[in-house]
Amino acid sequence: MTFLNIALLGGVLALAIPIIIHLFHKSRFKIVVWGAMHLLEAVIRQNQRRIQMEQWILLAIRCAIPLLLALLMARPLWKGAAKLLGDTKTSTIILLDNSYSMEVARAGTSNWSLARDEAVRIVSELKQGSEVAVGLMGEGGAGLLDTPTYDTGRVLKALQKAEASSGAANVPASLDFAANTFDQMHESVRQLIVLTDFQRVSFSAQEDSLLSQMIARLKKSAAPPSVTLFDIGPEVRENVAVESLDFSRLMVGVGQKVQIRANLRNFGDQRWPDLRVNFRVDGKDKGAAQIKLGPREKGQVLFTHVFDTAGSHVVEVSADADPLKADNTFLASMQVRDRVPVLLVDGEPNKEPLKSETAFAEIALQPFAAGRVELADLINPRVVAPEALNQQMLAESAVVILANVRKLNDNQLRFVEEFVRNGGGLLIFPGAKIDTSWYQSALHRDGKGLLPLAYAQLAGDAKPGATPASVVSQRFENPALELFNDPRNGSMADAAVRLWFKTKDAPAGSGEPSVVLARLDSGDPLFAEKKFGEGRVIACSTALDADWSNLPMRPFYLPLLQRLTVYLASTIYPPRNLDSGKPIAAFLPAADVDKKATLTTPGGDAIELKIVRKGSLGVAEFTRTQRPGLYTLTPPGGSPIHYVVNANRRESDTSKLTDQEITDLAKSHGVLLVRSSAEYKEHEQKRRFGTELWKPLLWALLIFFIAEMVLEQLFAGVRRKPTSLQPQMAR
Amino acid sequence: MSHVADFLTPSDLQRIGNLQVFARQVVEGFCSGLHRSPHKGFSVEFKQHRPYVPGDEIRHIDWRVFGRSDRYYIREYEEETNLRATLILDRSGSMGYGANTSKFEYATKLAACLSYLMLQQADSVGMVTFDTEIRRYIPPRSRVSHLKVLVDELENGKTGGETELGNVFHDLVPKLHRRGLLVILSDCFGDVATFLKAMAHFRHAHHEILVFQIWDRDELDFPFKGWTQFECLERAGIKHMLDPVLLRQAYLENLEKFRDELTRGCRRHKIDLVPFCTDQPYAEALAAYLSRRLALK
């Protein structure tokens, strides 16, 4: 207990006043020479003890009144446990929600600027010598500075420069950051302040269990921090977002018509009768459309475009809608190809027409060239013998098809694995010549190798008249096969597979799992896919040529091979369509190592990136991609590569938890909730300086005043009617 | 020599005079049980001899005495009435209470008023003053000049000593050998039971009793505030220092109880208990009481 006006505490001496008044009155008594003493004496005899008690009570109350008044004026502070921890240096972590929902503008400001200002105020009001760290929730709790610091000035400068990110608030990750950062901090008094808009998507039920775990972890730490949730700003629900873009083609070639479907969603209650949607390619307007969006409705707009040139292009669809700009535009970086180099490794070459293992496939992959038609084939196959396969060939190819290859040597296998790991596509077809033991031991490696299917033994019967297996009709989920969900594009069900490899399951938990894309009616997989590094591998259980099946004779053979190849070639690695905060990377020729690539940011800044060696390649990397938009990387002497960063659409639904839900959340996790700067200050004041007791004291004073008046009246007795002097008549 | 005007103002006398007619009726009414026919029984009773003075009627000379003593003596007769009233005046210490008018002063005025009234009607009026014992006994007489005797006693009366109503009244009974009207002017302080026993004694002797209980307003309301030392008027050295505010309620309750007991006792003995407060004009209060009696009759 301390006092803000200690001098006024001297007023407690005023408690002597009632005693003095009491004694003074007692000494200045009146004398009444009384006749009716027999009436009075009986009363005195019976009530002496009661009167003494009442007098003591009244005197005590009268003494308490000046005592309370003096205490009240001295402004006492109750510090309790805070006395020990109060105005001391602290280790403080501020988790600042900089997800883009915080940028919702209202009345000339935004939740983001409010939160930032609040963070600045909190940091600047910290006790000198306190240690601070700031985590940005929109970037998964990444620190504003690399490490906690005692230099609050530095933190304030960084906060002034901080911007809202385009990512979604990741509350558990941010709390994880806080827990890890507290481990590096030194002061024993710790506090964690979370400044957030309590967006519903960030505090969903799924997040809640993680949140509980993280808060429990914080509380179990050696010096558990006090956790304060700071509710910044009211809900602003009006928001229209371009959620995604869908392309009609997996891969776009020069001169090919591609349809781009923009998916829009209205998250608010406002009606948009004629929302204008703009379509741009490489920054040039290529069209616009109007769409009607009712409250909470979704809508789609379709644009068509033909790319004239190969290379990296940027497609942009924007809706001219609400003030939350970050999700009004969706960008997509597209690699338009003039050809897709495919390497066909033929395990059974034959110079006779259509006799080699890859003959049908070669035709299927470049039908126009085979048909001597004056049209451009997108896919450009090259057939090589297994022995000729080398690293250079792989580097020049987007997809490699192994057809009935007996086995590869170790170097070849290593090169192929590196090729796939770096984003290349591999298509594997077995045949009569393959070395199944090598396929199992080297290529499958119990699920850890490239091969998605562990070829075991042959099944079926190649003799004429034997019943072949057919492909089970099903809905295909894989983009390569989903074309066949529409019967107009051909049906795989009329294929007859006479021989195929049975497969065995890989041991559980070994490597990336395989996914079966299509099955035979025997129950055996026909196609299976697995991810390997950044690339993908698809394996078939029957041969590529017509020896084991009639696949090459079926109309779907051509689109099937084309789709599988394009699908495998469509992986662009490193990726160019990124979420906010994900790094930009480009693989460049080893010759460019130590040279500099130029990166142009959405703000127009040109940043030079040093190309460093990574394996056999040069790599240019850039990590500060919080800001959504177009990043253009220009390698030395090369064509520009476009990278786009889109704001995380999870944040587009700006609906907030209700006040009750927020209160319950805070209560269930046993943390403090504040809703305004004033409220925070009040709690902080209490924490640091204790609770001012003037309010309860004032109440006590009033109660004592009233009690004094009431008791005096009560002890003196109620007012009586004047004594009646009616005579008593004998008759 | 005191005069009745010292006690009664002209306006009081006027007021009482106006009451004379009905007051007489009232008084007669009280005594209706004493004589079957008060007016028929009117007679003369020898009182004393006194020397003849010139101017006296010759027919009043007692010739038998002249024959024996050779002197002229006038034979005086006392007119006998149907009412013999005795005013019993309490002059104990407690009657001395009162800021402007003490209860005793008030009682003396009432007594004077009653005496005047009754003597005007040719009734006999006597007086007893007492505190711890009977201090003076004046037998009832009906002469108008008797008023002076009574007034002298009233004027010379002083308060003091303790109230001992019970014992005093018991002592008084044998002195009042003829039944009559007893008017007690007192605050009746003291033990109620003893007082009522004495009343019963009077009633047993066939006396009619009127109790004029005299109060001071302070005794009825107990209005004191601040620390006060109460000193007993009757017993020297008895003092009580207290905050009267805290006792007021209890005092008033005790007062109520005292008055209740007294009222019930008086009702039981068919005694009129008439409270007077010294802040009431006594003539009006008396007139009001008499009016009320008249109305009841």
Side-chain angles (χ1 to χ4, degrees):
Chain A
M1 175 90 80
T2 55
F3 297 90
L4 295 182
N5 296 329
I6 190 95
L8 290 177
L9 199 59
V12 294
L13 296 175
L15 75 88
I17 292 173
I19 299 171
I20 292 167
I21 290 173
H22 176 77
L23 295 174
F24 179 75
H25 277 165
K26 223 172 166 181
S27 65
R28 302 263 296 179
F29 59 87
K30 288 183 291 188
I31 295 177
V32 173
V33 182
W34 187 242
M37 195 59 93
H38 80 291
L39 291 175
L40 192 58
E41 279 181 333
V43 171
I44 293 171
R45 217 169 27 249
Q46 289 163 9
N47 296 279
Q48 198 156 24
R49 181 165 284 187
R50 177 183 66 81
I51 288 167
Q52 272 184 350
M53 185 61 73
E54 287 174 357
Q55 280 180 330
W56 277 114
I57 291 170
L58 275 180
L59 185 65
I61 290 174
R62 285 167 184 164
C63 288
I65 288 170
L67 180 72
L68 283 172
L69 192 62
L71 283 173
L72 185 65
M73 290 167 74
R75 292 181 64 191
L77 280 174
W78 174 253
K79 299 192 82 167
K83 188 178 179 183
L84 302 172
L85 311 176
D87 194 18
T88 56
K89 292 182 280 185
T90 57
S91 285
T92 299
I93 295 179
I94 297 173
L95 290 181
L96 189 56
D97 186 350
N98 65 336
S99 60
Y100 77 82
S101 66
M102 294 283 284
E103 277 199 318
V104 177
R106 55 179 172 79
T109 182
S110 67
N111 286 346
W112 162 244
S113 55
L114 282 178
R116 190 176 53 183
D117 292 349
E118 206 58 57
V120 167
R121 196 187 56 70
I122 290 167
V123 172
S124 55
E125 287 179 4
L126 284 175
K127 170 84 177 167
Q128 198 173 11
S130 291
E131 193 178 17
V132 193
V134 177
L136 299 169
M137 293 166 73
E139 292 156 32
L144 183 67
L145 300 174
D146 296 338
T147 53
T149 177
Y150 284 94
D151 184 357
T152 51
R154 200 170 135 231
V155 177
L156 288 173
K157 270 186 200 165
L159 275 172
Q160 298 289 4
K161 285 183 191 166
E163 290 180 348
S165 94
S166 301
N170 189 337
V171 182
S174 303
L175 289 173
D176 187 47
F177 159 81
N180 292 334
T181 309
F182 272 131
D183 291 343
Q184 305 166 32
M185 296 176 97
H186 305 93
E187 303 300 331
S188 57
V189 180
R190 297 179 170 191
Q191 54 177 348
L192 171 65
I193 301 152
V194 184
L195 297 154
T196 178
D197 59 358
F198 285 102
Q199 198 182 356
R200 188 170 287 281
V201 291
S202 304
F203 289 88
S204 62
Q206 299 94 301
E207 307 275 335
D208 197 52
S209 59
L210 291 171
L211 198 65
S212 299
Q213 288 173 19
M214 293 315 304
I215 288 180
R217 182 181 156 194
L218 284 169
K219 285 184 176 171
K220 277 181 194 162
S221 60
S226 65
V227 182
T228 306
L229 299 178
F230 199 133
D231 180 10
I232 295 284
E235 180 183 63
V236 180
R237 294 186 72 152
E238 297 311 325
N239 186 30
V240 172
V242 182
E243 284 199 301
S244 61
L245 296 182
D246 293 336
F247 295 87
S248 60
R249 290 176 178 275
L250 287 172
M251 179 177 291
V252 182
V254 175
Q256 285 184 328
K257 188 190 280 185
V258 61
Q259 287 183 322
I260 298 124
R261 190 172 63 211
N263 300 299
L264 288 90
R265 185 170 174 186
N266 180 6
F267 288 95
D269 296 326
Q270 188 180 340
R271 194 173 292 281
W272 296 89
D274 49 0
L275 181 66
R276 184 179 170 82
V277 183
N278 299 307
F279 174 64
R280 291 189 193 88
V281 176
D282 296 329
K284 291 174 187 157
D285 285 332
K286 294 292 180 186
Q290 285 195 328
I291 183 174
K292 182 177 165 187
L293 271 183
R296 309 199 159 271
E297 270 186 8
K298 290 181 178 179
Q300 293 181 335
V301 183
L302 198 64
F303 297 102
T304 307
H305 187 69
V306 177
F307 290 93
D308 302 330
T309 55
S312 176
H313 293 272
V314 179
V315 174
E316 175 187 345
V317 175
S318 61
D320 190 11
D322 54 274
L324 183 56
K325 300 291 182 195
D327 60 5
N328 289 357
T329 302
F330 200 100
L331 291 164
S333 170
M334 299 193 70
Q335 182 66 23
V336 177
R337 298 179 188 263
D338 53 357
R339 63 186 189 88
V340 178
V342 175
L343 192 64
L344 286 162
V345 184
D346 192 339
E348 194 179 19
N350 195 321
K351 291 189 178 174
E352 286 187 39
L354 300 177
K355 289 290 183 187
S356 74
E357 191 72 25
T358 58
F360 289 105
E362 192 179 357
I363 295 167
L365 292 175
Q366 52 174 2
F368 299 132
R372 304 183 194 285
V373 179
E374 289 297 318
L375 283 171
D377 283 311
L378 179 62
I379 298 170
N380 184 16
R382 179 184 175 190
V383 181
V384 295
E387 311 80 62
L389 181 67
N390 61 33
Q391 193 177 12
Q392 182 62 34
M393 287 176 183
L394 290 169
E396 291 168 0
S397 305
V399 178
V400 173
I401 300 175
L402 299 180
N404 199 11
V405 174
R406 183 173 175 274
K407 63 187 282 188
L408 299 173
N409 64 38
D410 291 347
N411 275 342
Q412 285 174 325
L413 178 61
R414 188 159 51 82
F415 294 147
V416 170
E417 281 184 348
E418 189 182 333
F419 165 76
V420 178
R421 200 174 279 119
N422 287 336
L426 178 63
L427 197 51
I428 301 170
F429 288 90
K433 293 183 76 175
I434 68 164
D435 179 351
T436 49
S437 61
W438 179 84
Y439 270 74
Q440 281 178 17
S441 61
L443 211 52
H444 184 257
R445 291 212 311 270
D446 289 336
K448 291 175 187 152
L450 283 165
L451 191 61
L453 297 171
Y455 298 139
Q457 70 279 359
L458 268 176
D461 192 348
K463 291 175 187 166
T467 308
S470 60
V471 181
V472 176
S473 289
Q474 66 177 88
R475 178 169 179 77
F476 301 109
E477 300 295 335
N478 190 280
L481 300 182
E482 65 183 359
L483 180 77
F484 303 108
N485 289 330
D486 184 350
R488 289 173 296 183
N489 297 326
S491 170
M492 290 173 71
D494 57 0
V497 180
R498 295 186 299 277
L499 281 175
W500 67 94
F501 269 107
K502 280 195 165 297
T503 58
K504 36 181 202 185
D505 296 330
S510 53
E512 284 280 342
S514 300
V515 179
V516 175
L517 307 182
R519 278 188 190 278
L520 296 172
D521 58 4
S522 64
D524 298 313
L526 178 62
F527 286 109
E529 180 191 15
K530 82 177 282 188
K531 208 166 179 325
F532 189 84
E534 294 302 325
R536 287 188 286 250
V537 184
I538 293 178
C540 183
S541 58
T542 191
L544 179 63
D545 64 1
D547 290 352
W548 287 7
S549 70
N550 66 351
L551 291 178
M553 309 302 160
R554 308 313 306 162
F556 63 79
Y557 185 70
L558 184 144
L560 174 67
L561 271 192
Q562 288 255 342
R563 294 286 294 184
L564 287 171
T565 309
V566 166
Y567 168 68
L568 290 173
S570 64
T571 305
I572 305 292
Y573 187 79
R576 296 180 187 176
N577 293 291
L578 306 161
D579 283 338
S580 172
K582 301 287 182 194
I584 287 172
F587 289 162
L588 300 169
D592 290 341
V593 168
D594 294 335
K595 291 181 183 171
K596 293 203 171 155
T598 308
L599 182 82
T600 312
T601 65
D605 298 334
I607 298 166
E608 290 202 328
L609 303 177
K610 191 176 177 190
I611 301 165
V612 296
R613 179 177 292 279
K614 191 172 179 184
S616 58
L617 297 170
V619 177
E621 268 192 309
F622 180 73
T623 53
R624 299 194 304 277
T625 58
Q626 279 74 35
R627 193 164 176 187
L630 174 64
Y631 293 78
T632 308
L633 183 96
T634 312
S639 305
I641 306 167
H642 299 102
Y643 296 85
V644 298
V645 172
N646 283 301
N648 191 320
R649 263 42 185 180
R650 207 169 76 110
E651 287 275 308
S652 295
D653 183 0
T654 55
S655 61
K656 179 179 177 172
L657 296 181
T658 63
D659 284 354
Q660 187 56 48
E661 285 172 328
I662 295 171
T663 308
D664 292 346
L665 178 84
K667 203 179 280 179
S668 65
H669 294 303
V671 299
L672 178 66
L673 171 71
V674 294
R675 288 203 158 87
S676 67
S677 192
E679 201 180 343
Y680 177 78
K681 276 182 190 169
E682 191 185 329
H683 282 288
E684 185 62 4
Q685 184 87 354
K686 277 184 192 170
R687 189 191 69 76
R688 291 171 69 171
F689 304 113
T691 309
E692 273 217 61
L693 295 178
W694 67 268
K695 271 187 189 170
L697 281 175
L698 184 61
W699 279 111
L701 187 64
L702 283 173
I703 289 167
F704 273 67
F705 263 126
I706 294 166
E708 199 272 343
M709 286 190 286
V710 170
L711 286 179
E712 191 179 27
Q713 292 294 316
L714 192 70
F715 294 162
V718 289
R719 292 268 166 223
R720 294 169 62 92
K721 290 185 292 184
T723 308
S724 157
L725 289 178
Q726 286 298 311
Q728 183 321 104
M729 310 301 277
R731 280 173 282 193
Chain B
M1 172 75 65
S2 298
H3 190 265
V4 71
D6 296 341
F7 286 89
L8 305 176
T9 61
S11 62
D12 291 339
L13 291 171
Q14 171 76 25
R15 188 165 182 81
I16 298 298
N18 292 340
L19 291 170
Q20 195 165 345
V21 176
F22 69 80
R24 181 177 181 82
Q25 290 173 333
V26 171
V27 174
E28 284 168 0
F30 272 122
C31 306
S32 59
L34 203 57
H35 296 283
R36 288 191 182 280
S37 177
H39 298 289
K40 284 177 186 172
F42 198 78
S43 60
V44 289
E45 185 181 347
F46 170 75
K47 186 185 175 192
Q48 63 187 2
H49 287 103
R50 69 168 170 80
Y52 170 80
V53 291
D56 284 340
E57 287 190 37
I58 303 294
R59 65 186 177 98
H60 287 153
I61 294 173
D62 191 337
W63 295 106
R64 286 185 186 176
V65 174
F66 176 73
R68 286 199 296 271
S69 64
D70 201 21
R71 292 175 189 229
Y72 295 110
Y73 279 94
I74 297 295
R75 189 180 172 89
E76 281 190 336
Y77 295 91
E78 191 169 41
E79 200 173 31
E80 192 179 61
T81 69
N82 65 332
L83 180 64
R84 292 171 63 82
T86 305
L87 303 177
I88 303 170
L89 180 62
D90 180 0
R91 40 173 277 192
S92 66
S94 63
M95 288 294 282
Y97 185 79
N100 298 318
T101 305
S102 72
K103 292 196 288 181
F104 182 72
E105 285 167 7
Y106 195 86
T108 55
K109 286 180 182 177
L110 276 179
C113 203
L114 283 170
S115 305
Y116 175 78
L117 182 64
M118 287 188 284
L119 287 171
Q120 282 293 309
Q121 297 176 158
D123 292 333
S124 302
V125 180
M127 183 179 287
V128 176
T129 58
F130 70 93
D131 44 47
T132 50
E133 57 189 61
I134 295 167
R135 295 295 174 191
R136 181 78 191 275
Y137 173 63
I138 302 171
R141 296 285 181 268
S142 60
R143 285 193 305 274
V144 173
S145 59
H146 187 58
L147 183 62
K148 286 182 183 166
V149 180
L150 298 175
V151 167
D152 278 348
E153 176 56 28
L154 288 175
E155 193 200 42
N156 295 328
K158 282 199 174 71
T159 57
E162 289 185 51
T163 319
E164 276 295 343
L165 295 176
N167 297 337
V168 171
F169 289 172
H170 285 301
D171 292 346
L172 189 59
V173 174
K175 291 181 189 289
L176 304 172
H177 41 78
R178 292 186 64 180
R179 57 189 175 180
L181 174 67
L182 305 181
V183 180
I184 301 169
L185 297 121
S186 168
D187 51 15
C188 307
F189 287 171
D191 184 38
V192 177
T194 317
F195 175 77
L196 290 175
K197 270 186 189 169
M199 291 301 104
H201 199 171
F202 280 137
R203 291 293 291 153
H204 186 70
H206 302 292
H207 293 292
E208 291 293 328
I209 306 168
L210 268 178
V211 179
F212 284 4
Q213 192 180 17
I214 316 298
W215 291 99
D216 187 273
R217 183 54 65 186
D218 288 352
E219 291 167 342
L220 294 171
D221 291 348
F222 205 64
F224 307 104
K225 283 181 181 167
W227 283 92
T228 308
Q229 181 168 288
F230 290 90
E231 294 180 0
C232 187
L233 268 169
E234 297 185 349
R235 288 167 288 155
I238 302 293
K239 296 173 184 176
H240 293 288
M241 173 73 95
L242 49 95
D243 184 352
V245 172
L246 301 179
L247 267 181
R248 183 168 182 269
Q249 175 72 9
Y251 172 86
L252 293 177
E253 282 169 8
N254 197 28
L255 172 71
E256 196 73 22
K257 188 178 155 206
F258 170 72
R259 290 188 62 205
D260 272 356
E261 283 178 17
L262 204 57
T263 305
R264 274 189 273 110
C266 288
R267 189 181 298 135
R268 199 163 59 243
H269 296 301
K270 295 185 177 162
I271 297 168
D272 270 10
L273 176 66
V274 188
F276 287 88
C277 186
T278 55
D279 61 355
Q280 296 173 300
Y282 55 87
E284 279 178 25
L286 187 60
Y289 166 67
L290 294 175
S291 305
R292 191 162 174 192
R293 288 300 314 181
L294 185 63
L296 284 175
K297 185 173 165 66

